[in-house]
Structures are given as structure tokens and as C-alpha cells.
Amino acid sequence: MVNIQHEDTLINNFLLLSRQYCIKNIHIEKDKKSNHMDCEFTLKNKEYIRVEAKTFKDSRNYSQNFIKIFGGILKGRNLPLAYSKNNYPVYYGIMIDLEDFEKFKRYKQTINNIDWLNFSRNYDAKYIFVVSKNKIFIYDWDEIEIQ
């Protein structure tokens, strides 16, 4: 329950900032048992993006939430689109809070980088949206490398 409240805050911050980043036609899924991903939108009028939002606020669930990102994307690939994609290519992404970015990167270290990149290529995972209260950082999936 704690993470759902934090995810709602994360998505609301994203919604408030979205106009600054050429993010349009946003669909926010309020019903967690719905037939859509957490957030769907068009980016720069050329891509339809479907996003799994996760937070890492509850220390009992850090690793589970990291793993759920991948399951959420895989499940989302079989869910209907929230609206017409206008012949745009469909890509998938992750939305996380800036406060959780370091935790996310630590968990990312547990995955072989080749597997990380193969997941991106095989399942069209393209973006990681890191959201703060006043900015959205948009990373390509391949950009998140841990030394």
C-alpha cells in the first residue's frame, strides 16, 4: 500500500512536468487492476511510450520492486493500448523517483549488462524516466551503465 501511494505521487509529478518535455496524450491508469500500463503517452510526437512506474520507499520490498519492473513490462506488452498510437512505434520504459535513482542503479548492478541490453532489444524497452518535483530526466535504456 505504501508503494502505491508513492507511485501515485511519482506519476502526478510526471504529469505536472510533462508539457516541458514534449510529452502529450497522457493516460494515467488509476485502477491498478486495469488493462493498461501505469502511464502511456506520446513522446516528441513520434513515439508511443508505455511505462511501468516503481518506487523504492519500502525497504522490505526493494529487490521485489526492481524485479517487478521487468514483469510489468512483459505483462504490459500483452495489454491493450490506452489509445490509438497513430502509427507511432511502441516502446516501453520505467518511471522512478529521483530519490530512488541510486537504489535503482545498485539493483541494476545485479544484472549482467548483456542481459540488460538484450531485455531492451528483445522487448522494446527504450527509456528510463527519472522524476523529481521539478524536472524529468529522460535516459535511454542503454545509458544506465554502472562502473
Side-chain angles (χ1 to χ4, degrees):
M1 188 69 149
V2 170
N3 278 329
I4 290 174
Q5 292 170 340
H6 289 293
E7 287 172 12
D8 288 344
T9 301
L10 171 64
I11 292 169
N12 287 335
N13 286 343
F14 179 84
L15 182 61
L16 291 172
L17 296 166
S18 62
R19 289 191 185 131
Q20 300 171 36
Y21 297 91
C22 297
I23 296 169
K24 299 179 180 174
N25 304 320
I26 301 173
H27 173 82
I28 306 292
E29 192 52 55
K30 298 291 184 188
D31 181 3
K32 299 299 178 187
K33 296 177 184 173
S34 155
N35 290 331
H36 303 292
M37 292 194 68
D38 293 335
C39 185
E40 300 186 23
F41 52 89
T42 56
L43 180 63
K44 300 177 184 173
N45 288 326
K46 64 180 184 175
E47 298 172 329
Y48 187 98
I49 309 296
R50 307 181 82 195
V51 174
E52 177 70 16
K54 283 288 173 248
T55 61
F56 299 87
K57 306 297 185 211
D58 185 350
S59 62
R60 298 170 296 171
N61 295 327
Y62 285 168
S63 61
Q64 285 181 339
N65 283 346
F66 186 77
I67 293 166
K68 285 180 182 179
I69 289 169
F70 302 99
I73 290 173
L74 291 172
K75 178 183 172 190
R77 290 172 53 82
N78 287 320
L79 296 175
L81 300 176
Y83 58 89
S84 172
K85 63 180 184 133
N86 295 328
N87 295 321
Y88 298 148
V90 177
Y91 295 109
Y92 295 83
I94 303 167
M95 182 187 303
I96 59 175
D97 193 306
L98 178 62
E99 293 175 4
D100 296 330
F101 194 43
E102 291 304 316
K103 291 175 202 158
F104 173 83
K105 290 193 301 186
R106 278 197 304 274
Y107 278 103
K108 196 261 181 205
Q109 284 180 313
T110 66
I111 295 177
N112 179 296
N113 201 50
I114 292 170
D115 293 337
W116 175 262
L117 297 175
N118 283 337
F119 185 88
S120 170
R121 290 181 188 108
N122 291 329
Y123 301 108
D124 300 317
K126 188 171 181 181
Y127 294 109
I128 299 170
F129 298 88
V130 180
V131 182
S132 73
K133 291 180 181 171
N134 55 15
K135 189 168 184 176
I136 299 172
F137 300 89
I138 304 173
Y139 295 96
D140 284 337
W141 191 274
D142 300 3
E143 270 186 87
I144 305 297
E145 288 205 27
I146 310 302
Q147 308 303 334

